Amino acid sequence: LGSRAQARGGPECKVVVTFSFANLTDNAKMRYTLHFQRWIGLWLNILSLCSPSTEGAATSFIRNAGSKKLLLYWAVDSAERTIEAVKKNVEHARAAVGPNCCEVMLAHYGKGESEDSSKKRWGEDWYNREVSKSSFGEGYKFLHLKKLYTNDWHSKFDFVWALDSDIGFTGLDMLSFLQLARQSTSLVVGPTFIGADQRRDDSDSTFLNAPFDDEAPPSLVNLDVTRQNVEADSTMLLHRIHHLGDQDLRCQMRHTDFVELTASLLKIDVLLLLLRECQECIQPNSDWGLDMVWCKMATERFGNDRACALLDATPVTHLDWKTAQVTSDFFGAYQAVQKRFPRYWAQAENKDCLNPRGDSWIDALGQIVKLVPTKSYR
């Protein structure tokens, strides 16, 4: 670690971490290793302060993506808390990954919103400096994204991170987040959520409805609810949808058949499919239902059976402001997408889990399989 700091032109920093695994079972080690990795991530961030330059590993990582950037995209209202949250998130992204890491686009969905009024509320200097493009008018996040999307995005961006305004990621290790997203080889990636109503307990475990057993590998299959039960019981499916994105400390990441709209990180390749080719994926009055079909649709379109992933090692905070007024339009859109694309409909299932050490995948039956590195889909 000290060598890394010196190589970046800063003063030498040395960090010594002692971590004992004595008397722990293998699966207990898996859990505690994740905490150890987070401490290492913390110290790497501290080391970044030892260098006066932001041109470090994070910026090099962006360059390794072929000089493509990350597009940060929000659908926003004009509330002060929204403005504050977005500004802090943008500041964190640039500090963590580099000042030229990202472009920012905003969709202002409030009635009467205009470029002039938005610049006045957000601060003209900040808006002109940070926001490359905006959309105005009533609508929803992916409806506005469809308006903003142009073909030149494929040469400019590696990922598009489509965020709700009540997502906070100022505590996120951005470099690890992007590295895991690429390692997943997935086209649609979601961070997991922590927050007031995302606190896990034994009854809402995303692996199985029982306390973690140190003597046996965790199973991705709910032992009390078979797939046939889930397909027959829409209430249980909704429960699984609600809790699949909760952080699970037993995994670095999971491949799934569902990633919700809230904070989806989209590989640029999948946007053409979702925003242009699929005419009925996004309904006129709501984008509900899109996240129920995009995983299996992307699997079929790109031949990628790991099309969707959730990243447990890099959670974000869901503040859950509940600003959306759910109307019949939401449910109408959901039902229309389901009726049009029944074969793509998600069952909110885990497919596998990368253990905290990063050396083994646990399949859906709880069998440990040695990790075989795969080439990132580009």
Side-chain angles (χ1 to χ4, degrees):
L1 299 180
S3 298
R4 170 178 162 173
Q6 285 186 309
R8 293 177 57 186
E12 180 179 4
C13 297
K14 292 184 178 179
V15 178
V16 178
V17 180
T18 302
F19 198 81
S20 175
F21 279 152
N23 301 320
L24 293 180
T25 64
D26 286 342
N27 285 311
K29 292 175 185 178
M30 287 169 56
R31 284 202 311 190
Y32 291 112
T33 298
L34 180 57
H35 296 292
F36 172 72
Q37 290 171 333
R38 287 176 177 166
W39 276 107
I40 289 294
L42 171 63
W43 284 111
L44 288 175
N45 286 334
I46 292 173
L47 282 175
S48 69
L49 301 176
C50 299
S51 171
S53 171
T54 59
E55 294 291 322
T59 306
S60 297
F61 178 76
I62 290 295
R63 287 175 178 163
N64 290 338
S67 298
K68 293 183 179 181
K69 295 183 177 183
L70 169 67
L71 172 57
L72 298 170
Y73 165 71
W74 283 272
V76 296
D77 57 23
S78 57
E80 284 298 324
R81 64 181 180 183
T82 299
I83 296 172
E84 181 181 4
V86 170
K87 286 184 175 181
K88 285 182 177 179
N89 285 330
V90 171
E91 181 182 10
H92 174 70
R94 297 201 187 283
V97 188
N100 298 316
C101 68
C102 320
E103 282 194 25
V104 176
M105 295 188 187
L106 300 179
H108 300 270
Y109 57 80
K111 287 185 178 180
E113 289 282 356
S114 66
E115 185 174 357
D116 289 341
S117 64
S118 296
K119 285 184 176 181
K120 184 176 180 180
R121 288 192 182 94
W122 289 72
E124 189 166 354
D125 289 343
W126 182 90
Y127 206 97
N128 289 336
R129 182 180 69 252
E130 298 289 356
V131 181
S132 63
K133 195 172 182 180
S134 303
S135 176
F136 300 91
E138 294 184 56
Y140 300 93
K141 184 167 68 176
F142 278 87
L143 293 171
H144 279 281
L145 186 63
K146 197 171 183 177
K147 295 178 185 177
L148 291 167
Y149 172 76
T150 55
N151 290 334
D152 65 345
W153 285 17
H154 292 261
S155 61
K156 294 171 61 177
F157 305 121
D158 192 28
F159 288 103
V160 174
W161 199 3
L163 293 147
D164 284 4
S165 58
D166 59 356
I167 294 296
F169 60 82
T170 55
L172 175 66
D173 182 341
M174 290 284 294
L175 183 57
S176 293
F177 175 63
L178 294 172
Q179 285 175 328
L180 280 175
R182 289 202 176 96
Q183 184 183 347
S184 74
T185 73
S186 298
L187 296 158
V188 181
V189 178
T192 46
F193 300 119
I194 54 177
D197 70 345
Q198 279 78 40
R199 298 186 186 279
R200 291 180 59 250
D201 58 33
D202 291 337
S203 64
D204 286 331
S205 172
T206 56
F207 276 171
L208 70 164
N209 288 342
F212 185 83
D213 182 358
D214 286 342
E215 300 304 320
S219 170
L220 295 172
V221 177
N222 185 323
L223 299 182
D224 298 320
V225 183
T226 65
R227 177 169 180 165
Q228 289 73 26
N229 294 145
V230 172
E231 290 173 343
D233 188 343
S234 60
T235 301
M236 182 57 71
L237 175 57
L238 290 174
H239 175 84
R240 288 166 71 90
I241 287 170
H242 182 70
H243 290 288
L244 192 68
D246 293 356
Q247 184 191 26
D248 197 305
L249 296 178
R250 292 165 289 190
C251 298
Q252 283 196 34
M253 65 173 131
R254 290 168 278 146
H255 289 106
T256 68
D257 73 342
F258 175 78
V259 173
E260 68 174 286
L261 296 172
T262 307
S264 48
L265 182 73
L266 304 168
K267 189 74 173 171
I268 195 67
D269 305 312
V270 82
L271 285 182
L272 182 64
L273 168 65
L274 299 176
L275 302 181
R276 290 292 184 267
E277 294 178 7
C278 183
Q279 295 297 315
E280 298 176 74
C281 284
I282 302 172
Q283 296 292 305
N285 297 317
S286 173
D287 46 21
W288 272 29
L290 173 63
D291 51 6
M292 294 297 294
V293 298
W294 59 13
C295 294
K296 292 181 180 179
M297 185 177 290
T299 291
E300 181 178 279
R301 173 68 169 75
F302 294 96
N304 183 347
D305 62 359
R306 292 179 164 188
C308 286
L310 292 170
L311 308 182
D312 293 291
T314 53
V316 299
T317 302
H318 188 193
L319 302 173
D320 201 11
W321 291 336
K322 301 184 185 299
T323 54
Q325 299 296 316
V326 178
T327 68
S328 59
D329 287 339
F330 287 69
F331 296 103
Y334 184 90
Q335 292 165 358
V337 175
Q338 184 179 28
K339 182 177 180 180
R340 177 65 181 83
F341 303 109
R343 74 180 187 275
Y344 298 136
W345 204 248
Q347 295 303 317
E349 295 174 331
N350 291 301
K351 294 184 175 182
D352 56 29
C353 159
L354 179 64
N355 71 6
R357 291 192 303 270
D359 60 5
S360 296
W361 287 95
I362 302 167
D363 68 19
L365 297 177
Q367 302 298 313
I368 295 179
V369 181
K370 186 176 180 180
L371 174 63
V372 178
T374 56
K375 184 178 180 180
S376 294
Y377 183 87
R378 291 188 181 275

